[in-house]
Amino acid sequence: MTAMPANLTRVSILVIDGVFASTAMQAMDQFQMASQRINRHQSPDASFLTRLVSPDGETVQGFGDVPVAVHSGLDDEAEVIVLPAFWGDFDQLSLKYPQIIPWLQRRHAAGAILCGVATGVFWMAASGLMHGKEATTYWRFYQEFRQRFPQVLLNEDKHLTDADQLYCASGVTSGCDLYLYVIEQLCGLPVAQAVARDSLYEVQRSYTPGRLGFGGQKLHQDPLILQIQQWLEEHFADKFRFEDVARLHGMSIRNFMRRFQGATGEKPLHYLQRLRIETAKTLLSSTRKSIKTISYEVGYDDASFFARLFRQHTELSPHQYRRQHLPGDNRS
């Protein structure tokens, strides 16, 4: 009998009647590839145990009447739970599967990471865990989501959101980025980058999964500052003065500075710099754009100043960061 790795992360992918089997298997494949990369390049004592689970441990009928077999019922030791997209009436599904919401509540209270994709986010919202927190879902369901869950802060402009280990992805491609982000948090950037190269190399994106790291700074009770954080994420590369941002949101600059730091724990300028640097890190590790181009795209006309700032935040030059995180490319 083969011994289990000592550092094993248990991943449960929930499937129910009406599940889009492709979204469930996408998650399965991503975490399986991560396991292979861990075992090949790091330690054989670390891995993912990835399993398809259903509420009763029985095969379900997926979208298109496709049978989806599972490994087990709900795992009460799951450390990562993936809630794939499904098609069906949520009220009927909630009545059919009353055990799902208590399971999510128990596991999240125990520290588990929950990942909802498209309609899978409905389960997280229904659990009450998302009250007062930011979420996203598939665009067809914005209106229904708002009506069902008025206490959840639905953001229609984002593909990915992060709040207290509750991650939401609006669709299939953003779901891939979400799994990569979780893999990065648990296994490190090299493993996540390797999985990305194996599975998503040809996919071009217009958004930045790296900004998920700012989710923890949104768990505050100041809705106006949250609105400003969202504004900064959309305009971080623009040229603006914080005095104008404050005025735009009906505050004096002094009040804005005080409230922003009180809510986020960080001064606005440093927060903006990190937004730009995190975006630059993603561009350096996933594209072959020149450093001068990246500097301009994140809001800095002076590439030398950008390079100095980048080193302050990462202790690496942009060239060094790229060499470490984009193997095979030593160009600027």
Side-chain angles (χ1 to χ4, degrees), residues 217 220-229 246 249-268:
Q217 288 176 276
H220 54 73
Q221 303 301 315
D222 192 329
L224 188 55
I225 295 301
L226 180 60
Q227 183 180 341
I228 292 173
Q229 288 175 271
H249 293 86
M251 285 188 288
S252 68
I253 183 61
R254 185 174 180 178
N255 189 33
F256 162 70
M257 298 290 283
R258 178 184 59 79
R259 285 177 61 174
F260 192 96
Q261 186 165 3
T264 68
E266 196 167 19
K267 293 181 179 179

Side-chain angles (χ1 to χ4, degrees), residues 52-89:
L52 296 174
V53 304
S54 68
D56 55 9
E58 301 294 329
T59 296
V60 302
Q61 294 301 116
F63 179 74
D65 205 29
V66 175
V68 181
V70 301
H71 297 93
S72 71
L74 304 180
D75 183 357
D76 280 328
E77 297 182 7
E79 298 162 270
V80 178
I81 295 174
V82 177
L83 303 162
F86 63 85
W87 186 267
D89 182 86

Side-chain angles (χ1 to χ4, degrees), residues 8-14 24 27-32 34-35 47-53 71-73 75 77-83 103 112-113 115 179 182-183 186-187:
L8 187 71
T9 300
R10 302 175 72 94
V11 180
S12 287
I13 303 168
L14 178 69
M28 171 70 77
D29 290 344
Q30 296 285 94
F31 285 104
Q32 288 291 92
S35 288
S47 190
F48 289 106
L49 177 64
T50 307
R51 292 290 182 263
L52 296 174
V53 304
H71 297 93
S72 71
D75 183 357
E77 297 182 7
E79 298 162 270
V80 178
I81 295 174
V82 177
L83 303 162
W103 176 58
I113 294 170
C115 304
Y179 308 142
V182 173
I183 290 167
L186 298 175
C187 308

Side-chain angles (χ1 to χ4, degrees), residues 191-264:
V191 173
Q193 291 288 354
V195 174
R197 289 193 301 274
D198 289 343
S199 60
L200 300 173
Y201 183 80
E202 78 288 358
V203 180
Q204 300 297 315
R205 294 171 181 76
S206 60
Y207 52 91
T208 308
R211 293 195 207 136
L212 278 173
F214 289 80
Q217 288 176 276
K218 295 175 182 174
L219 302 179
H220 54 73
Q221 303 301 315
D222 192 329
L224 188 55
I225 295 301
L226 180 60
Q227 183 180 341
I228 292 173
Q229 288 175 271
Q230 294 167 355
W231 187 94
L232 289 174
E233 290 181 2
E234 296 167 7
H235 299 275
F236 71 95
D238 297 348
K239 291 178 173 56
F240 58 82
R241 301 185 312 158
F242 282 116
E243 288 86 349
D244 297 330
V245 175
R247 190 179 305 111
L248 178 66
H249 293 86
M251 285 188 288
S252 68
I253 183 61
R254 185 174 180 178
N255 189 33
F256 162 70
M257 298 290 283
R258 178 184 59 79
R259 285 177 61 174
F260 192 96
Q261 186 165 3
T264 68

Side-chain angles (χ1 to χ4, degrees), residues 134 136 142 155-161 170 218 230 233:
E134 191 178 34
T136 190
Y142 286 161
N155 190 327
E156 299 179 7
D157 297 322
K158 284 191 176 181
H159 297 278
L160 297 165
T161 63
S170 62
K218 295 175 182 174
Q230 294 167 355
E233 290 181 2

Side-chain angles (χ1 to χ4, degrees), residues 211 235-240 272 275-277 279-281 283-284 287 289-307 309-310 318 322 332:
R211 293 195 207 136
H235 299 275
F236 71 95
D238 297 348
K239 291 178 173 56
F240 58 82
L272 175 63
L275 271 176
R276 290 173 168 176
I277 295 302
T279 304
K281 285 164 64 177
L283 292 171
L284 286 166
T287 77
K289 294 179 178 180
S290 71
I291 290 173
K292 184 176 181 180
T293 297
I294 291 173
S295 172
Y296 181 78
E297 289 188 2
V298 301
Y300 297 111
D301 294 335
D302 186 339
S304 297
F305 175 80
F306 161 72
L309 189 64
F310 190 92
R322 169 165 277 170
S332 61

